[in-house]
Amino acid sequence: SQTIHQWPATLVQPVGSPLSLECTVEGTSNPNLYWYRQAAGRGLQLLFYSVGIGQISSEVPQNLSASRPQDRQFILSSKKLLLSDSGFYLCAWSGTRRGELFFGEGSRLTVL
Amino acid sequence: DAKTTQPTSMDCAEGRAANLPCNHSTISGNEYVYWYRQIHSQGPQYIIHGLKNNETNEMASLIITEDRKSSTLILPHATLRDTAVYYCIVNTGTASKLTFGTGTRLQVTL
């Protein structure tokens, strides 16, 4: 069966520090991968999605970037965090059923 | 994608059916209705989706009106573990275009 994991689960970072969140998927090949962010009390905002290695689409301008170095690995990064980057970050992959997304456990980032 | 309108919050007694409404009056003919839920501090979980016909699975039932302008998600016997935010989304089936709004916060109580 397919599984998705992301880490770290929580982190507290100072403004201006770098960020790296990692997501891996097991049990499937060539998945579509997604990074979402959820600010407190808000809906989910799609940040990036990828249909293959090295292929990244950005949905909103920001100081975050994403990379897909391997088929089942998706990384979210920042060189310098802002206060507004705080939130709950979710990685997801899309399954075979139309419009079905499977989400990871989430990473809660607090920027101080 | 068509927009949806959901109540901000609802309460339901444990063991009773929870009926969550969703209006999507501008839905297009090729758009599906999807339901997801998000339990606190977890990622959203797919529940069910449908195009025109009513659908049922092990989690819930989806009732879509004949004109497709609204739908209702039914949890037949709500439990405390069903307390979550429920999102109604209309989409052509392109996962990258799923838009999660603020949903309905369902509180199941004893």
Side-chain angles (χ1 to χ4, degrees):
Chain A
S1 63
Q2 302 91 349
T3 58
I4 179 169
H5 297 289
Q6 59 177 108
W7 65 94
T10 59
L11 65 165
V12 180
Q13 296 284 102
V15 169
S17 64
L19 171 73
S20 181
L21 300 179
E22 189 164 341
C23 171
T24 60
V25 180
E26 299 293 334
T28 187
S29 59
N30 197 30
N32 289 346
L33 298 173
Y34 309 83
W35 278 111
Y36 283 84
R37 176 172 61 199
Q38 187 172 35
R42 308 285 296 276
L44 275 70
Q45 179 186 36
L46 178 62
L47 301 175
F48 302 95
Y49 72 93
S50 170
V51 299
I53 295 174
Q55 301 178 63
I56 309 294
S57 295
S58 174
E59 290 295 298
V60 293
Q62 60 218 317
N63 71 323
L64 300 171
S65 62
S67 62
R68 185 168 178 176
Q70 299 180 45
D71 180 46
R72 291 170 292 183
Q73 184 184 28
F74 205 24
I75 297 172
L76 184 69
S77 304
S78 174
K79 293 182 179 178
K80 290 185 177 182
L81 285 168
L82 306 172
L83 287 174
S84 57
D85 291 323
S86 294
F88 190 46
Y89 288 82
L90 289 154
C91 179
W93 70 279
S94 55
T96 54
R97 266 194 293 202
R98 297 171 63 92
E100 185 174 1
L101 285 170
F102 296 94
F103 286 83
E105 308 95 331
S107 299
R108 189 165 301 281
L109 169 66
T110 302
V111 182
L112 300 176
Chain B
D1 291 334
K3 293 185 177 178
T4 62
T5 304
Q6 300 177 252
T8 302
S9 63
M10 294 181 64
D11 292 331
C12 179
E14 189 176 33
R16 305 296 292 269
N19 298 290
L20 292 94
C22 179
N23 287 324
H24 32 79
S25 59
T26 59
I27 191 170
S28 301
N30 63 343
E31 288 181 314
Y32 294 76
V33 180
Y34 292 85
W35 283 85
Y36 281 75
R37 74 179 183 184
Q38 186 177 19
I39 295 170
H40 183 62
S41 294
Q42 297 182 23
Q45 175 191 25
Y46 167 87
I47 301 174
I48 199 168
H49 78 281
L51 183 63
K52 290 190 290 187
N53 300 322
N54 298 336
E55 302 287 345
T56 296
N57 63 19
E58 65 279 4
M59 291 181 67
S61 295
L62 173 60
I63 309 298
I64 302 174
T65 57
E66 192 169 343
D67 63 8
R68 303 209 322 124
K69 292 184 177 182
S70 65
S71 60
T72 301
L73 179 75
I74 301 173
L75 308 179
H77 305 285
T79 71
L80 296 177
R81 288 175 293 181
D82 292 322
T83 293
V85 176
Y86 287 77
Y87 299 98
C88 170
I89 304 165
V90 291
N91 181 274
T92 56
T94 305
S96 63
K97 300 301 182 183
L98 285 173
T99 303
F100 292 80
T102 52
T104 296
R105 183 173 298 278
L106 175 68
Q107 180 69 52
V108 180
T109 57
L110 291 171

